[in-house]
Each structure stands twice: as structure tokens, then as C-alpha cells.
């Protein structure tokens, strides 16, 4: 269910792109694919799993299809009428962006004080983007459909 947090973040990043960054969504995911799923759907799958024979299994809960970030943005543009464009940046550029807005790189040192403004850290977000780019998040299953029936 790790994909759900990134799916929700991508909605926020998309909205930020057309409200604050002149319709540009820049990140380090490249052409990697992921099957985005909402947190709500993950919660539903968890509830179904706990009430089924699947409660002791490891399952990959993911969305309807594997998408690159550019494909995700194209769908969002079609639905919303906006014209957001994806630009791939390097891991170093991604770190620079997070540094520029004060996101801590790790959970060490001043984490407790900074966490009130940024309850996350850039190392995790940059490495997640890298994992997507390298194809490490491209697992696709029908486990959600098996559990929930849709």
C-alpha cells in the first residue's frame, strides 16, 4: 500500500503545478511506471483482507493500471481542463528544490522541530522518485480486485 501516499502527493503536486509553478510539474520519476491508488481504496482493501482468508497473506494493493507521471498528468489535464507539463529533473535537482523550501533531508538533528512544518523528509521522497524511475515500483497485480470485487 506504499503507492497510496505517493498517489495522494501527486494530486497535491498537480494542483501546485497549475496554481504556483506556471503549469510545470518537475520531479525525478522519469518514465518509470506505478499503479497509483488512493488511501481510501487502500483502507477498503485492508478491511476486506481482515475479513477474508487473505488476512495472513502479503498482497500488493495498487491501482487500475501502470502509468508514467506524464500519463498521469495527461489524464488529470483531460479531466481538469488544465495544461500541466511534466519536466524530468535529476535527483540532485530534486534535492535542491526540497532544500530551497526547507524540507529536512533526514529525520536526524532538528527533525522534531521541523516536522511541524514538514512532516516528511526529502531523502524519502527523492529515493521514492528514483525507485519509480528505475522500475522498482512497477509491480502490478489484481489483488485489489480479488479483495474488493471491483
Amino acid at each position: 500500500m506504499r503507492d497510496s501516499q505517493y498517489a495522494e502527493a501527486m494530486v497535491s503536486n498537480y494542483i501546485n503545478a497549475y496554481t504556483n509553478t506556471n503549469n510545470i510539474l518537475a520531479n525525478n520519476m522519469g518514465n518509470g511506471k506505478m499503479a497509483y491508488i488512493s488511501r481510501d481504496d487502500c483502507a477498503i482493501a485492508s478491511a476486506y483482507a481482515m475479513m477474508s482468508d487473505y488476512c495472513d497473506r502479503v498482497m500488493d494493493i495498487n491501482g487500475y493500471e501502470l502509468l508514467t507521471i506524464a500519463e498521469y498528468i495527461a489524464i488529470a489535464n483531460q479531466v481538469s481542463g488544465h495544461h500541466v507539463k511534466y519536466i524530468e529533473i535529476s535527483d540532485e535537482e530534486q534535492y535542491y528544490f526540497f532544500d530551497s523550501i526547507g524540507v529536512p533531508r533526514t529525520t536526524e538533528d532538528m527533525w522534531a522541530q521541523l516536522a511541524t512544518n514538514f512532516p516528511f523528509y526529502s531523502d524519502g521522497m527523492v529515493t521514492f522518485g528514483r525507485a519509480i524511475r528505475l522500475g522498482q515500483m512497477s509491480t502490478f497485480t489484481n489483488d485489489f480486485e480479488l479483495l474488493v470485487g471491483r
Side-chain angles (χ1 to χ4, degrees), residues 35-145:
Y36 298 93
I37 188 166
S38 73
R39 289 180 181 166
D40 289 346
D41 281 344
C42 287
I44 290 168
S46 293
Y48 273 79
M50 295 308 290
M51 298 182 307
S52 74
D53 294 336
Y54 295 104
C55 66
D56 292 328
R57 283 190 187 168
V58 173
M59 302 183 83
D60 286 306
I61 304 300
N62 50 37
Y64 178 73
E65 64 183 316
L66 290 168
L67 298 170
T68 65
I69 188 60
E71 292 167 334
Y72 179 97
I73 289 170
I75 292 167
N77 283 341
Q78 184 178 22
V79 170
S80 69
H82 294 287
H83 302 286
V84 173
K85 179 182 175 190
Y86 173 64
I87 296 178
E88 181 179 357
I89 60 175
S90 69
D91 294 346
E92 292 76 26
E93 291 169 309
Q94 189 74 73
Y95 275 119
Y96 176 78
F97 166 73
F98 289 128
D99 290 347
S100 74
I101 62 171
V103 176
R105 287 201 178 195
T106 68
T107 58
E108 298 170 3
D109 300 326
M110 304 289 287
W111 172 253
Q113 294 169 352
L114 293 172
T116 57
N117 295 325
F118 296 104
F120 42 83
Y121 60 101
S122 63
D123 247 2
M125 293 182 287
V126 173
T127 57
F128 199 87
R130 182 182 314 130
I132 291 170
R133 184 179 70 242
L134 297 175
Q136 297 169 335
M137 302 298 285
S138 61
T139 300
F140 182 76
T141 70
N142 66 340
D143 288 350
F144 180 83
E145 184 179 358

